[in-house]
Amino acid sequence: SVRMKRIRVGTFDFRHVPAMLNQEDSGTLAGKTDAGIIGNSILRRFDVIIDFRRWKVYLEPNSFYYKDFKVNCSGLRLALDSSHTRVLVSGIIENSPAEKAGIKKRDEVVSLDGRPVKTMSLARIKESLMEEGRVVKITVLRRQVKQTFTLRLKKLI
């Protein structure tokens, strides 16, 4: 993860935008001409109007336009398993609160602050790990044993 010094979308200018740069070896993101994807952190700041007849896209700033860019403050990379029923740790950012606490890749996250993650969307779980300074309790299942870890979230980039 890095912070881009500047990103320009049409006539709109953004500074210090957090970004994940492409490190894939295979699949759609492995192309040699792409460094990454500009995703929802940019697009959510606009109402997008597509004029198919004229082949034009219009961007109108909305209520999210001036909001801060949120970033992962836990160091956990999370993903759903193939059945979309379990939340797995797919990676840990070096020197992050998650690594320092002892959470490991392939742990299954079962609760966040005592609330079962099955009651939350993956997006909501990730969003709850973006508030710098917040203390969270994460319970994971590792080799059939539940373990609870306490993290103090901090900005990593």
Side-chain angles (χ1 to χ4, degrees):
S1 295
V2 298
R3 284 215 181 248
M4 304 296 290
K5 184 176 181 180
R6 177 181 179 200
I7 291 179
R8 177 168 266 187
V9 178
T11 59
F12 302 100
D13 221 11
F14 297 97
R15 301 207 182 265
H16 311 291
V17 177
M20 291 284 284
L21 298 181
N22 181 8
Q23 297 177 335
E24 300 297 321
D25 296 340
S26 61
T28 305
L29 298 177
K32 301 291 182 211
T33 59
D34 298 326
I37 294 174
I38 295 175
N40 288 338
S41 64
I42 296 285
L43 285 179
R44 74 185 299 234
R45 296 161 194 288
F46 297 98
D47 292 329
V48 179
I49 301 162
I50 301 172
D51 183 343
F52 288 104
R53 188 173 292 164
R54 293 184 182 87
W55 288 78
K56 292 191 180 220
V57 174
Y58 299 93
L59 301 176
E60 292 184 5
N62 62 29
S63 62
F64 293 105
Y65 187 78
Y66 292 104
K67 296 206 183 253
D68 289 337
F69 287 93
K70 290 186 174 187
V71 294
N72 179 338
C73 291
S74 70
L76 291 170
R77 295 185 201 254
L78 301 174
L80 293 174
D81 71 346
S82 59
S83 67
H84 297 276
T85 59
R86 300 183 310 143
V87 177
L88 303 176
V89 176
S90 60
I92 303 280
I93 296 172
E94 228 177 283
N95 297 314
S96 68
E99 182 185 61
K100 290 175 182 172
I103 298 174
K104 304 283 185 199
K105 184 176 181 178
R106 291 187 282 287
D107 283 349
E108 177 186 350
V109 179
V110 293
S111 72
L112 182 63
D113 289 330
R115 183 174 169 203
V117 296
K118 290 183 187 267
T119 66
M120 306 165 71
S121 69
L122 183 59
R124 177 67 191 108
I125 295 165
K126 288 179 177 181
E127 185 178 310
S128 69
L129 299 172
M130 294 181 176
E131 190 177 325
E132 183 179 22
R134 182 169 173 243
V135 176
V136 297
K137 288 192 183 296
I138 298 176
T139 301
V140 303
L141 190 60
R142 181 185 300 159
R143 294 188 206 105
Q144 310 300 346
V145 177
K146 283 188 179 180
Q147 298 179 29
T148 300
F149 301 90
T150 302
L151 309 181
R152 177 172 296 281
L153 303 181
K154 71 173 192 170
K155 285 190 181 172
L156 301 172
I157 57 171

